Amino acid sequence: MENWHWNGKVALITGIGGQDGSYLAEFLLSKGYKVRGIVRRASFPNTKRIDHLDIYDDKYGKTDESPFYLLYADLSDGISLKNILNKIRPDEIYNLGAQSHVGISFQCPESTINYNTLGPLRILESIKDLKLDAKYYQASSSEMFGKSPPPQNEETRMIPQSPYGVSKLAAFHLTRLYREAYGLKTYNGILFNHESPRRGLNFVTKKITASIASILVGTKDKITLGNLDAKRDWGFAKEYVEGMWHIMQHETPDDFVIATKETHTVREFLEEAFNLFDLNWKDFVKIDDKFKRPAEVPALLGDGEKTLRLLNWEPKTKFKALVRMMIIEDLKEKLNEKGLVNINDNNSDEYYINIGKEIARKICEKRNITQKF
Ligand code: NAP
Ligand code: G4F
């Protein structure tokens, strides 16, 4: 914080308390932006991922000088959004707020469309009405490609397979339309799945890694999942938010894909994660149809060639490294909670893997199952 020097720009982030919002806030602060974030009211705190940034709010309050502060608004409340845009008059707006769970969008289609489609529309209309000279980033998604076969890029036909996919596709087109019709500086980042230790607990990667850590510390004995055949192009969220910033620095507003160019099934994710502890995933996984969706996106594999060519940027972290990072962070946290290690001791990743393997050996003995290798 002592090294923070204002670069002259103000950024506004919706969804700042989410996985991506929290990484993006840190990244923009490190670049000298003043960051203002929108959170919605919750009956229990929804700011865990950004509470460490309170140091700024504590020192400066909600003043123009402050590097960082939060404001209450809601994507379903156009008045709240317009008031904030008028007050802050940001240089860059990153619209990351959304009902982001594809499965839940089948149960809550109306609010999904309200937040994910009408939310962006409310912001775009406000930018136009207030005549803001702001750049706008829309968090578009590879889920929009739906059943179009891989590889997918900016030119691929989009046939969404969920209310979430439809909501994001409509917002994608509104973002493009407001650029073409009104000359707004709007950008779409079409991001393929990106994960991290901060990922929400009910997305499949985090569900798997957190469950394995719970199995190892003895608070869970199995994982219940749905479709294991789906293929996803999984990258690392902390890198992807840098990609968002690169997209917004491109002089000509445009649409860009961010992806790793690797695809793996959910089954392969399980294999990779359990293999770290020499365990066979089949001994710990149960299938329940309640986690299957009424329609599925079978395979995603991104082609980020345009992004590399025009922005000279691509993500680096690939599948294996991502799985390892997520499981180690979850295991550390759970072992620490149980008082079995002290995470402040700065032990190596290998140290945690070895503890995990040792516990796994005992679990196998107890359950009379064979450890692999
Ligand atoms: P996330 O962790 O679910 O975060 C979403 C954020 O939006 C949360 O802070 C949430 O607040 C907020 N939000 C939800 N409804 C809101 C409303 N009505 N008003 C204001 N804020 C609201 O999602 P993420 O993974 O960071 O993703 C960020 C964005 O990228 C989302 O738009 C997502 O759809 C999109 N995207 C994600 C991926 C991916 O793989 N992660 C890929 C492509 C696109 P609460 O905490 O209060 O719920
Ligand atoms: O982790 P998921 O819920 O991610 P999904 O549906 O691909 O959506 C994520 O990525 C999109 C980008 O393409 C984002 F726009 C979106 O916001 C979100 O971040 O599911 C991945 C796959 C699916 O095929 C799902 O059916 O895993 C399968 N799956 C199998 N069992 C499961 C489960 N998914 C979840 N969430 N929970 C399960 O138990």
Side-chain angles (χ1 to χ4, degrees):
M1 179 184 172
E2 299 307 325
N3 298 328
W4 183 86
H5 293 294
W6 190 33
N7 70 2
K9 286 190 181 159
V10 179
L12 177 70
I13 305 175
T14 74
I16 195 163
Q19 170 189 252
D20 292 6
S22 63
Y23 282 125
L24 182 65
E26 288 166 0
F27 178 72
L28 293 177
L29 283 164
S30 78
K31 288 213 150 290
Y33 281 76
K34 286 181 182 172
V35 173
R36 280 71 178 105
I38 286 179
V39 287
R40 59 176 170 170
R41 191 263 165 186
S43 67
F44 200 74
N46 54 357
T47 53
K48 188 174 168 235
R49 297 180 180 102
I50 44 172
D51 281 345
H52 59 290
L53 299 174
D54 273 355
I55 44 166
Y56 298 106
D57 210 345
D58 289 348
K59 180 160 176 193
Y60 297 91
K62 291 179 182 25
T63 62
D64 278 351
E65 286 69 44
S66 178
F68 174 84
Y69 63 80
L70 301 176
L71 292 147
Y72 280 114
D74 196 297
L75 286 164
S76 63
D77 181 341
I79 297 172
S80 67
L81 296 168
K82 194 166 187 174
N83 284 341
I84 285 179
L85 285 166
N86 195 25
K87 174 175 146 61
I88 306 293
R89 304 193 84 83
D91 300 285
E92 295 177 13
I93 301 161
Y94 293 84
N95 181 35
L96 310 187
Q99 191 301 91
S100 70
H101 198 284
V102 173
I104 292 171
S105 77
F106 287 97
Q107 285 147 47
C108 305
E110 188 177 341
S111 55
T112 300
I113 298 280
N114 191 2
Y115 304 155
N116 298 8
T117 309
L118 297 180
L121 179 67
R122 292 175 180 113
I123 298 174
L124 290 164
E125 270 294 314
S126 297
I127 297 174
K128 176 165 78 70
D129 279 1
L130 295 167
K131 298 187 175 39
L132 294 184
D133 187 29
K135 289 182 173 185
Y136 172 85
Y137 175 91
Q138 171 60 23
S140 289
S141 164
S142 53
E143 180 71 16
M144 300 185 307
F145 294 116
K147 57 183 176 182
S148 254
Q152 295 100 353
N153 66 23
E154 297 82 358
E155 302 305 319
T156 304
R157 190 171 168 219
M158 295 176 179
I159 319 169
Q161 289 284 83
S162 62
Y164 171 86
V166 171
S167 75
K168 285 287 181 178
L169 182 54
F172 169 86
H173 282 301
L174 286 168
T175 303
R176 178 193 55 76
L177 180 67
Y178 274 60
R179 178 196 304 155
E180 291 172 9
Y182 303 117
L184 299 195
K185 295 175 196 160
T186 62
Y187 297 75
N188 276 298
I190 309 171
L191 272 50
F192 282 65
N193 297 51
H194 44 281
E195 321 292 311
S196 74
R198 296 186 191 176
R199 186 59 145 150
L201 283 170
N202 58 359
F203 295 93
V204 78
T205 55
K206 181 74 176 177
K207 186 170 166 183
I208 293 170
T209 60
S211 300
I212 293 176
S214 297
I215 289 169
L216 290 172
V217 301
T219 53
K220 214 176 170 113
D221 59 4
K222 60 175 184 306
I223 314 176
T224 310
L225 296 170
N227 174 21
L228 306 188
D229 295 324
K231 290 179 153 185
R232 292 291 181 270
D233 179 332
W234 279 297
F236 179 29
K238 191 173 180 194
E239 285 177 356
Y240 279 40
V241 302
E242 294 181 23
M244 293 176 186
W245 178 81
H246 282 285
I247 288 173
M248 287 280 264
Q249 306 319 302
H250 190 59
E251 210 170 300
T252 320
D254 203 346
D255 310 323
F256 294 94
V257 156
I258 299 183
T260 69
K261 294 183 277 186
E262 260 190 40
T263 189
H264 297 272
T265 58
V266 174
R267 188 177 289 99
E268 283 167 339
F269 194 103
L270 281 168
E271 262 162 17
E272 188 63 32
F274 275 96
N275 272 352
L276 287 168
F277 306 103
D278 301 338
L279 293 172
N280 186 341
W281 66 271
K282 289 181 186 152
D283 293 322
F284 298 90
V285 173
K286 206 180 132 207
I287 302 299
D288 188 328
D289 284 353
K290 81 170 179 228
F291 292 112
K292 293 186 177 163
R293 297 166 183 179
E296 179 63 282
V297 171
L300 293 173
L301 169 62
D303 162 17
E305 188 276 332
K306 174 180 169 185
T307 303
L308 181 59
R309 182 166 40 84
L310 295 184
L311 308 182
N312 194 26
W313 184 88
E314 64 179 345
K316 293 194 173 46
T317 305
K318 303 281 186 187
F319 177 72
K320 275 175 185 277
L322 178 70
V323 177
R324 194 180 155 89
M325 171 206 310
M326 289 180 72
I327 186 79
I328 287 172
E329 284 309 311
D330 283 332
L331 185 55
K332 262 188 201 174
E333 194 185 304
K334 295 241 180 330
L335 288 170
N336 188 55
E337 274 167 21
K338 279 245 158 188
L340 297 171
V341 300
N342 181 351
I343 44 173
N344 298 323
D345 284 349
N346 264 333
N347 293 304
S348 68
D349 290 353
E350 216 43 52
Y351 173 83
Y352 291 103
I353 295 282
N354 285 335
I355 295 186
K357 277 187 183 170
E358 187 51 30
I359 304 175
R361 196 180 55 73
K362 289 183 188 148
I363 293 175
C364 288
E365 266 173 28
K366 203 167 146 199
R367 294 199 196 177
N368 204 15
I369 50 180
T370 17
Q371 204 168 10
K372 287 174 106 189
F373 313 120

